[in-house]
Amino acid sequence: MNCPCGSGRAFDTCCGRLLAGASAPTAEALMRSRYTACTRGDHPYLLATWHPSTRPAAIEDLPAGSKWLGLEVRRAHEHGARATVEFIARSKLAGRASRLHETSRFVREDGRWWYVDGEVRG
């Protein structure tokens, strides 16, 4: 089975190993695994990979019944222990298509990448 993140790799050798507990080697890999977690409704993974300084108490803005249609990574830049990843995630809910265009910020602490926050575009 191909990984939902669009890498072209098998789920087990791509995001599957991260969702099972392996550390993401790059911020882009973490972002892709978070997208894959959305496709699977894995809210605990999203919270576990969110930096403690900005982590919400719960995930509330992922409507049940969303069908995730694809991920396009536009840019990924790592600057030492900080990184940004710009992406577009497409989804459909109740027959209506939507796009999430975001530039996410990540930080690497103690050898692990964390999602910090993101700027949603248009």
Side-chain angles (χ1 to χ4, degrees):
M1 171 176 115
N2 278 345
C3 191
C5 80
S7 67
R9 296 182 3 218
F11 173 75
D12 290 342
T13 61
C14 190
C15 294
R17 62 189 185 80
L18 302 181
L19 272 64
S23 293
T26 65
E28 180 180 346
L30 178 59
M31 190 282 309
R32 287 180 175 279
S33 71
R34 287 174 57 82
Y35 170 83
T36 296
C38 288
T39 70
R40 301 167 63 89
D42 190 345
H43 295 179
Y45 181 80
L46 295 174
L47 289 171
T49 57
W50 209 310
H51 194 271
S53 68
T54 57
R55 180 185 305 139
I59 303 288
E60 298 175 8
D61 61 348
L62 293 176
S66 289
K67 178 173 171 67
W68 294 91
L69 305 172
L71 175 68
E72 174 191 348
V73 174
R74 291 270 178 104
R75 283 186 293 218
H77 296 285
E78 289 185 14
H79 313 282
R82 301 200 179 279
T84 58
V85 179
E86 180 185 356
F87 68 90
I88 296 174
R90 296 179 298 110
S91 64
K92 188 180 273 192
L93 177 63
R96 294 194 56 147
S98 65
R99 292 169 21 126
L100 170 63
H101 186 176
E102 180 176 308
T103 300
S104 296
R105 292 185 320 128
F106 297 85
V107 64
R108 186 171 176 89
E109 292 179 352
D110 300 322
R112 180 176 174 187
W113 283 104
W114 298 88
Y115 170 78
V116 176
D117 60 18
E119 177 185 332
V120 176
R121 298 176 177 220

